Amino acid sequence: MLSTLFRRCALSLCIAGCLSSVAAAHDLEANRVSVVLRDNIHLSLQFRIDYFNFLRQAYAPTANEKQALLELASLSDQAFDVLYQQSQKLFIEQTILNAGADTPLQLSHWRWPKVSHIQQSIRELSAQMIVSPQEHVHYDFVEVQADAIAMKEVNQCRLKLPSSLGNVLVIHYRAQQQWNEQKETEMRF
């Protein structure tokens, strides 16, 4: 009786674990950027990117995934910091936002993850690859944010992104905001 109960519990835990891993796997594992227009002139950009693959494509496009990962993981803190700063500069230079026909908008207030977070993530991935080379390595996506303010109302814009990012899903919309003043709020889409 006890062994039957134990088997059922073990089976239930196994099924629950499988279902949760399947549910977690449904998050879109792709580079993407959300462009939100606020107050008709303020554009907020929020990138969700695989920074390892961005670094690999930008600085070692001919290296295979394993080589690039091990090379980046073996860099000293100082060398990685220099590479990270160069990659930020490249990202900023190659991200071009135009409003209307050809009115370039200055992207500012860039917000980046800490270099230690990126470096630690890459080191953990390389360790995972060494310990379990047959398993698929899941890269951490990181968030990068920037803003642009136009001189006049924005009705359309064009965004050019670094080619090192590969294909990027672009989500764009005009923000609709309202206060909920301690009552029911109606929202229309």
Side-chain angles (χ1 to χ4, degrees), residues 131-174:
V131 172
S132 303
Q134 278 35 344
E135 288 188 31
H136 176 68
V137 178
H138 290 280
Y139 302 104
D140 288 337
F141 284 81
V142 298
E143 229 177 71
V144 175
Q145 298 175 345
D147 294 292
I149 305 292
M151 298 308 241
K152 59 183 183 178
E153 189 172 306
V154 176
N155 293 312
Q156 68 178 26
C157 63
R158 290 193 331 269
L159 179 63
K160 184 172 180 355
L161 298 169
S163 59
S164 304
L165 286 175
N167 292 337
V168 178
L169 175 64
V170 179
I171 304 159
H172 58 92
Y173 57 94
R174 181 182 302 263

Side-chain angles (χ1 to χ4, degrees), residues 16 37 48 52 56-57 80 90 95 99 125 133 159 164 168 179:
L37 178 62
R48 181 183 174 274
F52 162 68
R56 181 170 70 99
Q57 290 301 319
F80 193 88
L90 178 74
T95 301
L125 290 171
L159 179 63
S164 304
V168 178
W179 285 98

Side-chain angles (χ1 to χ4, degrees), residues 8-189:
R8 284 183 183 166
C9 285
L11 181 61
S12 297
L13 288 172
C14 182
I15 290 171
C18 289
L19 289 176
S20 68
S21 66
V22 168
H26 287 298
D27 189 24
L28 180 63
E29 288 197 17
N31 290 329
R32 64 181 178 230
V33 60
S34 295
V35 181
V36 182
L37 178 62
R38 304 176 191 283
D39 302 324
N40 297 321
I41 60 167
H42 177 198
L43 289 157
S44 296
L45 284 73
Q46 182 174 1
F47 298 87
R48 181 183 174 274
I49 58 173
D50 174 348
Y51 214 85
F52 162 68
N53 276 311
F54 169 67
L55 288 173
R56 181 170 70 99
Q57 290 301 319
Y59 298 104
T62 59
N64 69 37
E65 187 176 55
K66 185 177 182 178
Q67 290 172 322
L69 189 57
L70 293 174
E71 180 74 27
L72 288 169
S74 67
L75 291 175
S76 70
D77 291 351
Q78 245 182 344
F80 193 88
D81 188 46
V82 168
L83 179 68
Y84 187 57
Q85 289 178 29
Q86 289 172 345
S87 71
Q88 288 175 341
K89 186 175 186 241
L90 178 74
F91 195 97
I92 291 168
E93 288 172 353
Q94 293 184 358
T95 301
I96 301 167
L97 182 64
N98 287 312
D102 281 318
T103 308
L105 296 175
Q106 181 68 42
L107 287 165
S108 61
H109 301 103
W110 286 90
R111 293 165 305 282
W112 301 88
K114 292 181 179 180
V115 64
S116 59
H117 171 77
I118 302 292
Q119 187 176 27
Q120 183 64 32
S121 175
I122 288 173
R123 286 179 174 167
E124 287 172 4
L125 290 171
S126 68
Q128 179 185 347
M129 188 176 58
I130 290 168
V131 172
S132 303
Q134 278 35 344
E135 288 188 31
H136 176 68
V137 178
H138 290 280
Y139 302 104
D140 288 337
F141 284 81
V142 298
E143 229 177 71
V144 175
Q145 298 175 345
D147 294 292
I149 305 292
M151 298 308 241
K152 59 183 183 178
E153 189 172 306
V154 176
N155 293 312
Q156 68 178 26
C157 63
R158 290 193 331 269
L159 179 63
K160 184 172 180 355
L161 298 169
S163 59
S164 304
L165 286 175
N167 292 337
V168 178
L169 175 64
V170 179
I171 304 159
H172 58 92
Y173 57 94
R174 181 182 302 263
Q176 297 178 21
Q177 354 185 80
Q178 63 192 52
W179 285 98
N180 179 314
E181 297 171 344
Q182 303 300 314
K183 60 181 182 175
E184 185 176 334
T185 301
E186 182 178 337
M187 294 168 274
R188 295 179 187 259
F189 299 97

